[in-house]
Amino acid sequence: MNYITHSLGGAAAGVMVINAMGVNEPTQQSAILTGAVLGSLFIDIDHKKSWIAHKIPLLANAASGLFKHRGVIHTPVFVAIVSIILGVLDWSWLHEWNVFAPYFIRGFIPGMMSHLVLDTLNVQGIMWLWPISNKRFHLLRIRTNSMMEMAVCVVLGACLYGKYGSFF
Ligand SMILES: [Zn+2]
């Protein structure tokens, strides 16, 4: 999926977190949404030409050099490792450094998960069971930047607006 579809998926995940946590403070909501959208875009760090790779080229060069696109970084294990690291950082000092950091992280993690879910709709799929199996799973056969992806993007945007429009 392209970065627009992933951003919308991340935003949807962020709104779900806001609703589930019952966060009413606008600045805290913004921190969750920002984290969710960036989390959803972060997973494509293993693709040199992705939106996030242009923002943090050094990390993207390292990630895309070490791992192939839609490989290890596109797995629940990677998301779990990043989540644990962020959780430990938050628990130890991050929450004291910035009051919005805990909210950002609570958006970032579901944002990353939304990326895996959306990429599962692509024909290439992702390795949901890695490292047990390298088999790639996909639910649909959508090609990136195709008309079908555009349809997913529009449906996602409409759902987001329809269900949570009042929120924005
Ligand atoms: Zn991806």
Side-chain angles (χ1 to χ4, degrees):
M1 297 292 183
N2 64 35
Y3 78 99
I4 299 170
T5 311
H6 280 306
S7 300
L8 289 172
V15 175
M16 283 178 206
V17 171
I18 289 167
N19 286 345
M21 286 174 64
V23 177
N24 295 316
E25 176 63 42
T27 48
Q28 294 171 349
Q29 292 175 339
S30 304
I32 291 173
L33 278 177
T34 307
V37 171
L38 288 179
S40 74
L41 296 169
F42 177 68
I43 297 295
D44 274 340
I45 193 76
D46 60 8
H47 191 311
K48 261 188 184 162
K49 291 197 165 73
S50 67
W51 181 89
I52 195 77
H54 287 109
K55 301 297 164 195
I56 35 177
L58 271 181
L59 188 60
N61 274 339
S64 60
L66 285 170
F67 306 102
K68 62 178 196 277
H69 180 46
R70 281 179 181 262
V72 172
I73 291 180
H74 278 64
T75 63
V77 171
F78 176 78
V79 170
I81 291 168
V82 174
S83 303
I84 291 167
I85 292 169
L86 289 176
V88 170
L89 288 176
D90 181 35
W91 170 73
S92 54
W93 62 271
L94 216 53
H95 66 283
E96 286 174 8
W97 171 71
N98 189 312
V99 288
F100 296 115
Y103 294 96
F104 181 90
I105 290 170
R106 278 161 185 76
F108 197 89
I109 294 168
M112 289 192 292
M113 285 307 294
S114 76
H115 189 112
L116 300 190
V117 171
L118 280 174
D119 273 1
T120 305
L121 304 181
N122 282 137
V123 63
Q124 304 98 314
I126 62 156
M127 300 188 293
W128 276 98
L129 298 180
W130 186 86
I132 297 164
S133 162
N134 284 356
K135 184 176 163 29
R136 289 164 183 270
F137 294 88
H138 64 263
L139 285 175
L140 298 175
R141 307 185 73 82
I142 297 171
R143 296 192 183 279
T144 303
N145 293 325
S146 65
M147 287 299 284
M148 273 303 284
E149 167 157 8
M150 204 182 282
V152 170
C153 200
V154 169
V155 168
L156 209 49
C159 285
L160 203 55
Y161 187 78
K163 199 161 168 52
Y164 304 109
S166 58
F167 172 82
F168 295 105

